[in-house]
Amino acid sequence: MNDALIKEFEAIVGKENVMHAEADRQAYSYDAAVLEPVVPDLVVRPTTSEALGKTVRLCNENALPITPRGAGTNLSGGTIPGRKGVVLLTNSLNKIIEINEQDMYAVVQPGVVTAKFAAEVARRGLFYPPDPGSQAVSTLGGNVAENAGGLRGLKYGVTKDYVMGVDFFDVNGELVKAGSRTVKCVTGFNLSALQVAGEGSLGVINEIIFKLVPPPAANKAMMAVFDSIDKASETVAAIIAGKIVPCTLELMDKKTIELVEAFTKAGLPTDAAAILLIEVDGHPAQVADEAEKVVEIARRIGAIDVRAASSDAERNKIWEARRAALPALARARPTTVLEDATVPRSQIPTMIRAINRIAEKYNVTIGTFGHAGDGNLHPTILCDRRDKEEFKRVEDAVDEIFEVALSLKGTLSGEHGIGLAKAKWLEKETSPATIAYAKKIKAAIDPKGILNPGKIIGA
Amino acid sequence: MNDALIKEFEAIVGKENVMHAEADRQAYSYDAAVLEPVVPDLVVRPTTSEALGKTVRLCNENALPITPRGAGTNLSGGTIPGRKGVVLLTNSLNKIIEINEQDMYAVVQPGVVTAKFAAEVARRGLFYPPDPGSQAVSTLGGNVAENAGGLRGLKYGVTKDYVMGVDFFDVNGELVKAGSRTVKCVTGFNLSALQVAGEGSLGVINEIIFKLVPPPAANKAMMAVFDSIDKASETVAAIIAGKIVPCTLELMDKKTIELVEAFTKAGLPTDAAAILLIEVDGHPAQVADEAEKVVEIARRIGAIDVRAASSDAERNKIWEARRAALPALARARPTTVLEDATVPRSQIPTMIRAINRIAEKYNVTIGTFGHAGDGNLHPTILCDRRDKEEFKRVEDAVDEIFEVALSLKGTLSGEHGIGLAKAKWLEKETSPATIAYAKKIKAAIDPKGILNPGKIIGA
């Protein structure tokens, strides 16, 4: 990139917020997905809304690709530059602009860290439920762009269910305002929803209005231990069929339990074939009733042990063990391929059996954990990418996992996004007309194709 | 329209489903909005999905405007033809394709009547919460296209919160598939959400996948009577601030109470300045607690009477009275202008005072009722459109209501849509770039401008 253009960026965001040294650019060439890095020409970090808009405009004027980036924690390559160009960091746009307790909403900049926001909301006596696995570092802008899920999706929904409005810059750097601070709003096209899961390819998020809810008055966490994964998955289906909607209903298979226990020494039963981690919340009487029913169902289906947390410390221990699943698996082998094909929840037993069959067929190691209650499993393949023969088997296994998920009326991705990683699979789930429709919107909104190019619908 | 073209439509949908007589066409020239009728050239009623797609394609090939129409109950002119062309009736596409109890979703055609669907879902032991005022006749396709709200929006959200997927025909009659049967899905652009509140201008809905939830185990309906509307609206704000989220929290002012009582003889207190109709639901213990708190708050702020329904019959009587509000008001004068400007809920007291001031200033009669709990009031102006001088004052009053709503960080429309009626106001709430963005999408998706032309963003 020529010096004159770099100076133009510096004039907008300040010299200290434009990075062009090789080492800096390398740092933004990859994300949490297992994909080849692409080194950008420049890394720009606007610190004001105005500078954000001007940066977008300058990129468009010069036909420079923009890769917006929060914490880069997405798992589908959404923040790997599709073509070189500019990585646009949002992490200095990190103000919580307003938390309105009376009207139960908040207005934030995109770079606010998810957990920090949730904690501040809690301090004001309210609740922001979405809790993606990477919440300790992930940003709210990234959560919206990827429609991040999390452990509480079953009862509380995902990020999209809390987006009341999004202000974003169009490719010309003009501000588009969609949605409202009101619970109900049908003013104009549903453009804020279009930014959700748009992966930054239809606009650059400037501000988000989030719905907040009252926190549950009580909760109860439980762990059910099984000697067969079939019994665990049948318990999941039976809980839902019993019209109980737990806040969280997570599964870990044997491989995951072993690795988590080796990593955390949390006291997990390493001789179990599977465990379910369950939390119910709400009114204290409801919590007591539902916890009792959950225990009864798990025992009836054959849990060999059901333990309830009797203190906050015990409850935290359960959820820390669950949150350790991915890091624990990731330590086992050089490469971790984390999938999130999702099925209607009653298909969980079938899906888990299929995953185990596929692991055997392709001779690959798969640890499976995830949000069993909403059908969103994370089969995680442990491998070494440098071993080409093995990695070919891994790719074949992933392809077959997708095929099974679709045959069960499921979807390619529950919460990780399509990004670069799954774009080639999109047509199989949808239709040629679906891709064509999306491409028409993309071309109209971004004629030069500079907004996070290559994502979702390909180049 | 020439005979050869009519015969082509007849070949697709059958002769009995193509109407071209003057009387038939007149019947589809208007809807529930107070706007000039526009008589279409032809009315076509496909009875199969395939015929629906072919009808759309034939219209596009001949550049014929399409006005999709369910029951025509929308209040913003969404089903008045923007230009002549074809009114496309969806009411023969009225199959409930699947209700999946285990996975808690349903798949329906667009012409299914809302209340019929809700009843069938209830029969299967599940709950479809959205309950727009016109649910007895409105269709689910129309509900999605308008993002219909209703009385339960406060706790349960609106139609968009239940849309998991939408299959729709693009303007060429090709099927676009968006969303999934899974609770979590981030596969591709959020195109199903774009059909929500799209008023049929970005596609013609073929099938909808709705999320269902377990029904609440208990409920309690109450009526609180006030001698001042300020006290009623302060009670609304205090209930929400007390972290209670009732299922329903409705307000009726004096004018509305008087007219409803004259119409229904439901036993409403006609000497009251305002009443609140409140329902809490959920676990029985939670219902008991919340009902007690609601009563305490209402009394503390100065309710002169608070009554709880002690039977289902009494509960039904309360909600029938509320549902009679619009028809009762509509009987009073020849023309009923029903608005739905919406504000953050804490602004309800300010908004109601402003509406009363505006009524006085322009010497118009306004009955106000509506979903106070979510800030979505329905100030209803009773007038006679033939009286030009009066109607000018009505229009000025509506303009000022919008201005106040926007100044309170509210929105033009909570649930009725923009349609033809409010398109001119859209830029004031959003920005020129917002309209430009929407128009680019529209032009890319519908280059001939035939999909419900003139709606939302104008011609």
Side-chain angles (χ1 to χ4, degrees), chain A residues 14-77:
Chain A
K15 204 171 158 57
E16 68 283 12
N17 289 308
V18 176
M19 288 158 271
H20 44 82
E22 173 74 15
D24 288 331
R25 293 186 289 119
Q26 286 282 359
Y28 297 105
S29 65
Y30 61 91
D31 63 16
V34 183
L35 291 165
E36 290 299 326
V38 175
V39 181
D41 296 314
L42 204 66
V43 179
V44 178
R45 176 165 39 214
T47 59
T48 66
S49 179
E50 197 195 342
L52 179 64
K54 285 184 177 171
T55 302
V56 173
R57 185 184 311 163
L58 184 58
C59 287
N60 193 40
E61 284 168 359
N62 292 279
L64 282 172
I66 298 173
T67 307
R69 183 182 179 107
T73 51
N74 82 89
L75 291 151
S76 51

Side-chain angles (χ1 to χ4, degrees), chain A residues 225-229 252-255 257 269-275:
Chain A
V225 182
F226 297 87
D227 60 6
S228 104
I229 194 155
M252 283 191 201
D253 73 354
K254 187 170 183 61
K255 187 87 212 162
I257 296 167
T270 48
D271 54 341
I275 56 174

